[in-house]
Amino acid sequence: VLLPFEFREFGKSLIAATVYLSNVNFYREAGYFDTVSEDKVLLHTWSLSVEEQFYIVLPVLMVLLLRRSFGLRALLWLSFAASLIACIWITQRSQPAAFYLFPFRAWELLAGVLLAIEGQRRVVPQAGAVSFLGLLLVLGGIFLIPAGAQFPGWHAIIPVLGTVFLIANGQHENPINRVLSSPVPVGIGLISYSLYLWHWPVYTLRVYLRDGYANIVASLGWMGLSIALGWLSWR
């Protein structure tokens, strides 16, 4: 269904995604003459490339500092701080670089690594208020962060910190954790990776075919298709 130029761009993004360089490809395409995001079928693979780059770099650092646990910890904390500061700084100067490139998004993944390490070294306080605050921050990130040139920057701290709070307090018995451990959220969590892979191609091709938004009934139908495809892929 794509026009020749769009199909060529799709092919480039497909190759880039296969070799974990999708984020670099979309960063290089960003600019005045760039097509809108709704026309890029594989745009969502930028984050998977950032993850894979992280999974390559982190083990190398761990091997190099295998016998120096303090050195590894210190390096991870230093890398986290440097990446976060660089992300906030570069967002005001080159938002596409801050959004797509690994060095400026690494702190988000390092937050989870540091939580795992520090959680083994000391007791994490368990309190229902922590889970509530975590959920509040995540929802706040969804509804309050403006789309556009100000993201990621410091805005990205909101959902990342909220997620850290939820995971750190995940074993505490409280209403938030009871809801999150009920069948529907757990089911969504199980298929979340497959759903992530499917939702954007379904959305972009739907917009392409319909030339924009149709109506709420059609949108719910396409969302249902994404969930069904995600479930089948998970199975």
Side-chain angles (χ1 to χ4, degrees), residues 9-43:
E9 294 304 302
F10 169 77
K12 288 167 57 179
S13 64
L14 182 62
I15 294 170
T18 304
V19 294
Y20 310 140
L21 290 174
S22 186
N23 58 327
V24 177
N25 176 63
F26 288 122
Y27 164 68
R28 293 182 62 186
E29 288 183 357
Y32 186 83
F33 293 103
D34 191 18
T35 56
V36 295
S37 59
E38 286 82 358
D39 291 340
K40 297 181 178 182
V41 182
L42 295 178
L43 180 66

Side-chain angles (χ1 to χ4, degrees), residues 5-6 14 29-31 70 83 120-121 142 157 166 180 197-198 209 218 234:
F5 169 79
E6 295 164 327
L14 182 62
E29 288 183 357
F70 174 78
S83 177
Q120 295 292 325
R121 298 176 64 89
I142 294 172
I157 297 174
L166 284 172
L180 292 177
L197 291 178
W198 278 109
L209 287 168
W234 171 70

Side-chain angles (χ1 to χ4, degrees), residues 123-219:
V123 177
V124 178
Q126 299 287 314
V130 176
S131 291
F132 180 77
L133 178 59
L135 184 61
L136 204 63
L137 288 169
V138 171
L139 293 177
I142 294 172
F143 294 109
L144 299 179
I145 295 177
Q150 299 304 309
F151 191 85
W154 67 267
H155 292 99
I157 297 174
I158 299 172
V160 172
L161 186 61
T163 304
V164 167
F165 283 167
L166 284 172
I167 296 174
N169 206 45
Q171 295 181 322
H172 184 260
E173 180 64 28
N174 62 61
I176 301 297
N177 285 341
R178 281 196 293 274
V179 170
L180 292 177
S181 59
S182 60
V184 172
V186 169
I188 294 172
L190 287 173
I191 70 167
S192 60
Y193 183 73
S194 298
L195 181 58
Y196 182 79
L197 291 178
W198 278 109
H199 86 284
W200 188 251
V202 169
Y203 171 76
T204 53
L205 291 173
R206 184 265 296 180
V207 169
Y208 188 90
L209 287 168
R210 300 285 301 185
D211 192 27
Y213 177 77
N215 54 63
I216 186 65
V217 175
S219 294

Side-chain angles (χ1 to χ4, degrees), residues 73-127:
R73 242 178 103 226
L75 181 61
L76 290 174
W77 274 108
L78 182 63
S79 299
F80 171 83
S83 177
L84 174 56
I85 293 169
C87 174
I88 295 172
W89 182 82
I90 201 69
T91 298
Q92 304 302 319
R93 291 157 180 81
S94 177
Q95 190 268 341
F99 188 90
Y100 286 118
L101 298 185
F102 163 71
F104 309 114
R105 304 307 292 260
W107 67 273
E108 300 175 52
L109 295 158
L110 281 169
V113 173
L114 290 169
L115 174 61
I117 292 174
E118 299 302 334
Q120 295 292 325
R121 298 176 64 89
R122 54 177 60 84
V123 177
V124 178
Q126 299 287 314

